[in-house]
């Protein structure tokens, strides 16, 4: 078996590309292809396209986590302004699945905050549209690719809107719900009644910003005990110990974390401290379009930064299978990975 101790970049990259992968933290609209984003924006408003280019310029100059985070959320606002029709949602869903499929992803959990659209479509229509594309894609690819949908509650929403999302997730028999959105809104406690006893699996964006309120919110989130944590970039030593003791899986998004945490090098990423402790981890893309990354490249950056070899990469992916929300597919995913690994030897 080819190992990477001698760091052969192209072999490492090729391995990360070809190994079957699982993606557990991908925001549907954040996965929009850059070309599609520009095209939709230029159709709806040329001034918005100019605005996007100016945000991209500011991103290059931003130096703090709060600044970078706020620019990313400016982009999301523009994104919402140009994804206005069901056919846009259909296109983004299809292109997202295609991009993951071509990157040798075999299982993906997409998450999205359902919304009504300018063409008169309801939240229910939005969800059904995404599910229809997912089902058709799976059928066309002979069950070699599986996708599941989680619904997002946005931190800036009202509690009524949150309950409506939970109701929709149940009506559509989805596996789970999550909390995301601008982390300046420390609203987990407001939504806690929705997540508690919701009867679905849950994952919560946690510790995204380096401020006291965020650290305080971490404790409430850990008290609630979600099945997985998103990001968990900033935490106190007690929170770190607790997450380790309780073995709560963390969804790490290297490029996104690198940008929002303003890291100088990927080897400063939290991955190391959790990986060394054999903590349950999954590497994810977060917003592959907005962040311009793929799951292969995320895996590659981490493998390269922390000198993982081929066996380490395989084991990391093999462990990820345990944390997927569709528990019926754990074995299927493990078998695909084992078959791949056996043939690679
Ligand atoms: C930096 N990391 C992040 N932190 C928090 N929330 C994020 C996020 N990345 C994406 N989103 C959330 O996902 C929405 C886009 O997808 P959907 O319209 O739902 O499909 C964003 O508007 C934001 O609320």
């Amino acid at each position: 078996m080819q190992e990477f101790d001698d760091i052969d970049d192209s072999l490492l990259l090729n391995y990360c590309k070809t190994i079957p992968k699982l993606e557990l933290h991908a925001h549907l609209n954040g996965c929009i292809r850059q070309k599609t984003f520009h095209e939709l924006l230029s159709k709806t408003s040329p001034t918005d396209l100019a605005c996007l280019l100016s945000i991209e310029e500011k991103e290059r100059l931003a130096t703090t986590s709060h600044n970078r985070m706020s620019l990313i959320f400016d982009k999301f606002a523009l994104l919402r302004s140009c994804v206005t029709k069901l056919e846009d949602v259909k296109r983004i869903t299809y292109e997202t699945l295609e991009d993951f499929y071509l990157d040798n992803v075999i299982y993906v959990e997409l998450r999205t905050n359902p919304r009504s659209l300018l063409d008169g479509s309801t939240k229910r229509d939005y969800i059904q549209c995404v599910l229809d594309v997912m089902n058709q894609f799976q059928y066309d690819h002979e069950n070699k690719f599986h996708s599941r949908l989680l619904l997002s509650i946005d931190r800036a929403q009202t509690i009524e809107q949150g309950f409506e999302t939970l109701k929709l997730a149940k009506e559509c028999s989805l596996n789970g719900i999550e909390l995301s959105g601008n982390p300046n809104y420390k609203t987990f406690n407001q939504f806690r009644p929705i997540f508690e006893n919701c009867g679905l699996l849950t994952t919560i964006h946690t510790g995204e910003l380096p401020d006291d309120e965020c650290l305080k919110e971490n404790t409430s989130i850990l008290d609630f005990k979600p099945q997985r944590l998103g990001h968990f970039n900033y935490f106190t030593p007690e929170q770190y110990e607790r997450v380790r003791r309780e073995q709560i899986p963390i969804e790490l998004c290297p490029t996104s974390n690198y940008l929002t945490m303003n890291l100088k090098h990927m080897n400063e990423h939290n991955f190391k401290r959790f990986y060394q402790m054999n903590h349950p981890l999954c590497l994810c893309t977060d917003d592959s379009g907005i962040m311009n990354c793929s799951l292969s490249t995320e895996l590659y950056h981490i493998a390269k930064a922390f000198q993982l070899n081929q066996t380490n990469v395989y084991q990391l992916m093999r462990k990820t299978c345990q944390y997927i929300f569709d528990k019926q597919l754990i074995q299927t995913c493990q078998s695909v990975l084992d078959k791949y690994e056996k043939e690679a030897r």
Side-chain angles (χ1 to χ4, degrees), residues 13 16-17 21-23 25 100 103 231 252-259 266 269 271 282-288 291-306 308 313 316-317:
L13 183 59
C16 293
K17 278 190 173 156
K21 290 172 282 291
L22 294 90
E23 166 66 72
H25 185 135
F100 280 119
D103 196 32
H231 304 295
L252 295 175
C253 307
T255 298
S256 167
N257 303 153
Y258 173 89
L259 292 173
M266 194 56 97
H269 193 277
F271 174 83
C282 22
L283 290 185
C284 313
T285 53
D286 204 13
D287 300 286
S288 53
M291 310 285 178
N292 194 18
C293 62
S294 69
L295 193 51
S296 305
T297 53
E298 295 303 82
L299 208 52
Y300 170 72
H301 289 313
I302 288 293
K304 199 160 145 47
F306 300 104
L308 305 192
V313 172
L316 189 64
M317 211 35 89

Side-chain angles (χ1 to χ4, degrees), residues 25 27-30 69 72-73 76-77 79-80 111-115 126 152 154 178 180-183 205 208 231 256 260 286-287 291:
H25 185 135
H27 297 271
L28 175 60
N29 282 273
M69 194 66 89
I72 286 171
F73 277 84
F76 287 136
L79 189 51
R80 273 193 300 276
R111 47 186 77 189
T112 195
N113 180 13
R115 52 204 170 89
Y126 177 107
S152 308
D154 189 300
E178 67 112 32
S180 57
N182 192 332
H205 278 55
E208 279 193 90
H231 304 295
S256 167
T260 57
D286 204 13
D287 300 286
M291 310 285 178

Side-chain angles (χ1 to χ4, degrees), residues 233-245:
N233 294 338
Y234 298 99
F235 40 79
T236 64
E238 295 73 31
Q239 290 164 351
Y240 171 73
E241 279 311 319
R242 184 165 174 195
V243 165
R244 280 204 40 224
R245 201 173 49 246

Side-chain angles (χ1 to χ4, degrees), residues 3 16 25 29 39 42 63 84 159 164 176 185 203 217-218 227 235 257 264 270 275 294:
E3 300 290 339
C16 293
H25 185 135
N29 282 273
E39 198 182 307
S42 59
T63 53
T84 54
I159 183 133
E164 187 190 0
Y185 294 86
T203 168
E217 193 189 52
N218 285 354
Q227 274 68 43
F235 40 79
N257 303 153
K264 300 271 176 296
N270 284 333
Y275 183 72
S294 69

